[in-house]
Amino acid sequence: MDLITMDDLTNDESISLLEDARRLMPVADGSAYLPLLEGKVLGNLFFENSTRTRLSFETAMKRLGGEVLNLSDVGSSVKKGETLYDTMQMIDGYADIAVIRHPRQGAAQYAADAVEIPILNAGDGAGNHPTQTLLDLFTIKQGHGTIQDLRVVLVGDLRYGRTVHSLSHALSRFGASLTFVSPESLMMPEEIVRDLKSNGCDVAETSDLLSVLGSSDVVYMTRIQRERFPDEAEYEKVAGIYTINSDDLANAPSNLMIMHPLPRVSEIHPSIDSTSHAWYFRQAFNGVPTRMALLCRSLGVPIPEVIN
Ligand code: CP
């Protein structure tokens, strides 16, 4: 099974993956050993920078007893001009499953079409990042006990932000009300807003973050992504536009979750790190159990009901 966008999963399949991830938590944190993927090889193909996605996939595979091949454009024959198609033919022979991150939107689907093994999209340009969405949903469930009917605010680079593109689609299918907070130049693409609304999602848009903090269940901050701007001057106009600190949360609901896919630059002041609102580091850890669940499912390996 490939995972290119969240449309590749039904709601029931997403919920089942979150339940699998919950059961795998002792394996993810190293307190239990369960070599379900012994003898399997993961191709970790990163043509764009990553810390969390690459390392959490590697940790997930290794904690399940599997092996990992790492490939990036630096140090591989991509630098000699090898095409993505040819690279994928090699991976098809060397690995049982592959994760791909690529700067070009659509590259994960292209890779999936080129090979037989399952392909998991780890971020394709400004397109989608569905494995991030699974760990985001898992984290929201940890915090609120449900992913159903929540009020979620998505903040920052909504135009180029693949995390918010995937997450907003998934949340809308679970009845969320969404508020998009961005400067005008980085608003959520019109086609995504239209799609969400046509599916019955309640969507609001504003540029004023502080006005919506008090009436939210989740605030999902994102970085203004310098690398996606065609023009540096346009980036400079909006760099650092949204920053929250612990004083801003003084009147926020006690169970308000502050999330961020990371890396952060200046969006979340460190004064929030020690508050009960800070979920972003737990969120990053949750990449391990959710990606374990996804690897098992994609490779057709069942997860035991009880793990200890
Ligand atoms: N959240 C996320 O995709 O982080 P990385 O870019 O470090 O993988």
Side-chain angles (χ1 to χ4, degrees), residues 49-54 101 122 129 132 162-163 261-263:
N49 293 340
S50 170
T51 295
R52 279 145 291 276
T53 312
R54 186 171 65 81
R101 171 170 291 186
H129 197 348
Q132 176 73 40
R162 57 197 175 202
T163 59
L262 303 177

Side-chain angles (χ1 to χ4, degrees), residues 83 109 138 145 197 202 261:
T83 63
Q109 184 64 62
F138 185 78
K197 286 181 175 171
D202 182 12

